[in-house]
Amino acid sequence: MSTSNGSGSGEPRKHTISVLVENRFGVLSRVAGLFSARGYNIESLSVGETLDPAVSRMTLVVTGDEFIIEQVTKQLHKLIDVIKVSDLTDDRHVERELVLIRVNAEPQHRAEILRTVDIFRAKVVDVTPISFILEATGDEGKIEALIELLRPMGIQEIVRTGKVAITRGPKTKAARKVEQPKRPRPVDDPRVVGFAD
Amino acid sequence: MRMSGARMVLECLKREGVDTIFGLPGGAVLPIYDVLYDFEGLRHILVRQEAAAGHAAEGYSRTTGKIGVCLVTSGPAATNLVTALQDAMMDSIPIVAFTGQVPTHLIGNDAFQEADNVGITRPCTKHNFLVKDGKDIGPIIREAFHIASTGRPGPVHIDLPKDVLVKEAEMIWPERVHLRSYNPTVDGHPGQIKRAAKSIVRAKRPVLYVGGGVISADAHAELRELAELTQVPLTQTLMGLGAFPMAHPLSLDMLGMHGSYYANMAVHHSDRLVAVGARFDDRVTGRVDAFAPNAEIIHIDVDPSSISKNIKVDVPIVGDCRRVLAKLVEAVREELKQEVPAAVREARQQWAQQVAEWKRDFPLRYDWSDDVIKPQYVIQELSNLTNGEAFIVTGVGQHQMWAAQYYRFKHPRRWCTSGGLGTMGYGLPTAMGVQAAHPGKLVVNVDGDGSFQMNSQEMATCFTENLPVKTIIINNSGHGMVRQWQRIIYKERYCAIDLPGIPDWVKLAEAYGCVGLRVTKPSEVVPALEKMLATPAPVILDVCVDKDECVFPMVPAGGANTDMILSPPSREKKEQAARAQTGF
Ligand SMILES: Cc1ncc(C[n+]2csc(CCOP(=O)(O)OP(=O)(O)O)c2C)c(N)n1
């Protein structure tokens, strides 16, 4: 027998946890409250609607050893509004975050910034004579690398979303059931075409 | 059927089988009280402070197995209720609490008597609801009762804005409750149950460690069958008392900080520890790395998050204790069809002998005195006179531990104590709830002079609602448990513990129209208890006890369970205790 707070419980590392919740009043504060009440740290959190508008998905990034992560997932599951909790960390999955960067763009740096934008498949979404706003998506490593390259030009401001994640490959049957929309959404629903920019 | 939200609330309660509610009115819930005026089939008990309504609902629930219900108004009433909600949360007691709320259009406006009720109760309830539309009242009450009573039970709170209570709506009463996001596991995994059975049968030094989960699942009969079939000695937590008859030869009484020497030693030396409906609370385990260091741990619990939270579990079984135990008994019977190895049989005999020796050589004990009343003696005599059959409720402190140690429980659901939260003031209101659920039965509140003062106003409720609770105040003129810690761990630097014998408890009882009695000598104890038990009215029996008495055994917080202090310690022991101390 060993104690769970003792050693030998694995090194702390980052976990990406995906949580399906009922899209109800107060559900975000239930999840956030759980973390603060139990002293766990959320590194990032993002929430959005799923195919079924009655269900939202939260993607959480949490650092902890295996016992902490086990408790986090169990405690999340205990919340009445939580439908499903999956730790994606060791599954094959795609992770993305989005960043907006306001960077100095003096004439002598503009070409280099644009080259970097190109390499990173980022976008310039706002231009002034002395600054750019860049938009990039990618996993954490890519975003960090981009920031490092831009740093010497003088970054004025960074706004990052939390991480979102999805498992690779086709969906399992059970998972499909949960996200089946109750009724087909009208094609003119602005939410369906709301991503173009 | 169309009706006002207020009427719908009461109608739904009746349909849920509620017969009693504990409450106190105010502006936001007046629509409900207006319907209550001539509503039939619900008894409303008017308390004097809202926390008491919550505790009374807890007492009602713990001793009946049904859901306790309380109803209070908005703002300060809701915040008063919070202690009782957290108390029920920590002890997994199913209650449903209603609070009033300002009208929906004023929510968030800092309106008169507004508080963010659901924001405040979120972390101290199993779930909570803010009702925004009258047609949701039925479904929400159904869900609340379902959530409170299933899985790991707990308190559920429903916040009712005044306009929702006033407006008429169609009543919706779903026949069944289905929540796709809430499906507690009830049946244990058959493979794990089989593993557990194999392991128990082959164990050389097994111990059963049972908690409140056995009580809430009504699993005592199955538990007894398992213990007797396997002849495994059994210890109960503070919450589990009554799950197993204490006079049973296999009973090791309570374990933990103030548990018996033999229970703590048996657990420490065990090679299999079978935890049933218990959660390895720090008051049970002491220092975790020294808890049952050589045991394989089998843990049966309805709450998966209890498993491997404090102590790593080897054989987890998630499910309802009653169902799992029934299956486990079957599986053990199956295992017993095979020959148990001779070495195991022999080891088991030695273990039984060892446990019996601990029990014989280190019983619970205290020093008798002819001059001053020993508190333990009062509980012993109470246990004798009531034949272990009374409903016992306590406050928090030394008297609570003595009641747990010296009252010889025979049945489940006869014991109410604030285990997880340790809420002083729990005693009297909880006893009231018990008495309301069991008219004509004997309900004794064993209280401390400190704890009692936190809710003594409820004597008025006892009097007016004809709830003849018998309160015994183990009066040591102070916060005895705090004094004990200051004595043993803080080198006798006594600070803020004296309660100077005010008020006069006899006069206080009389002021409330009740009966007051006082004893100061050991020889008076039994006659006074007899008189108290024979009095039909609510009674306060003031027992002036030895204020130097301490609760032993004692494991200093953060110490290992084998470091029990068995009697008033030497200077050296005190210093050791002070060093081991990690927090009050
Ligand atoms: C609401 C609350 N406040 C403070 C405490 C801390 N505390 C624990 S025991 C105790 C003293 C209890 O005194 P009393 O009720 O007279 O019981 P005794 O220990 O003397 O038997 C105190 C203050 C508590 N448990 N609950």
Coordinates of all heavy atoms in Angstrom, one line a residue, chain B residues 6 19 63 222 239 299 391 491 531 556 568:
Chain B
A6 N -46.4 28.8 -6.0 CA -46.4 28.5 -4.6 C -47.1 27.2 -4.3 O -46.6 26.3 -3.6 CB -46.9 29.7 -3.8
D19 N -44.0 14.6 4.5 CA -45.1 14.9 5.5 C -44.8 16.0 6.4 O -45.6 16.6 7.1 CB -45.4 13.6 6.3 CG -44.2 13.0 6.9 OD1 -43.2 13.7 7.1 OD2 -44.3 11.7 7.2
T63 N -32.6 9.5 10.4 CA -33.3 8.5 11.2 C -34.4 7.8 10.5 O -35.0 6.9 11.0 CB -33.7 9.1 12.5 OG1 -34.6 10.2 12.3 CG2 -32.6 9.5 13.4
E222 N -26.8 -7.1 5.4 CA -25.8 -7.7 4.6 C -24.4 -7.7 5.2 O -23.6 -8.6 5.1 CB -25.8 -7.0 3.2 CG -27.0 -7.3 2.3 CD -28.3 -6.5 2.8 OE1 -28.2 -5.7 3.7 OE2 -29.4 -6.8 2.2
M239 N -19.3 8.1 11.8 CA -20.6 8.1 10.9 C -21.2 6.7 10.8 O -22.4 6.7 10.5 CB -20.2 8.6 9.5 CG -19.9 10.1 9.4 SD -21.2 11.1 10.0 CE -22.5 10.7 8.8
H299 N -12.0 -1.5 -1.3 CA -12.9 -0.4 -0.9 C -14.2 -0.4 -1.7 O -14.2 -0.4 -2.9 CB -12.1 0.9 -1.3 CG -12.8 2.2 -0.7 ND1 -12.3 3.4 -0.9 CD2 -13.9 2.3 0.0 CE1 -13.1 4.3 -0.4 NE2 -14.1 3.7 0.2
F391 N -32.7 7.2 20.4 CA -32.1 8.0 19.3 C -31.1 9.0 20.0 O -31.5 9.7 21.0 CB -33.1 8.9 18.6 CG -34.0 8.0 17.7 CD1 -35.3 7.5 18.2 CD2 -33.6 7.7 16.5 CE1 -36.1 6.8 17.4 CE2 -34.5 6.9 15.6 CZ -35.7 6.4 16.1
K491 N 0.9 23.0 25.6 CA 1.6 23.2 26.9 C 0.8 24.0 27.9 O 1.3 24.9 28.6 CB 2.9 23.9 26.7 CG 3.7 23.1 25.6 CD 5.2 23.6 25.6 CE 6.0 22.7 24.6 NZ 7.1 23.4 24.1
K531 N -35.4 10.3 36.1 CA -36.4 11.4 36.2 C -36.6 12.0 34.8 O -37.7 12.3 34.3 CB -36.1 12.4 37.2 CG -37.1 13.4 37.4 CD -37.0 14.1 38.8 CE -38.0 15.2 38.9 NZ -37.7 16.3 39.8
P556 N -2.8 12.5 18.3 CA -2.7 13.9 17.9 C -2.8 14.0 16.4 O -2.3 13.2 15.7 CB -1.3 14.2 18.4 CG -0.9 13.1 19.3 CD -1.7 11.9 18.9
P568 N -3.8 10.6 30.7 CA -3.1 11.9 30.8 C -1.6 11.8 30.6 O -1.0 11.0 31.3 CB -3.5 12.4 32.2 CG -4.8 11.7 32.5 CD -4.7 10.4 31.8

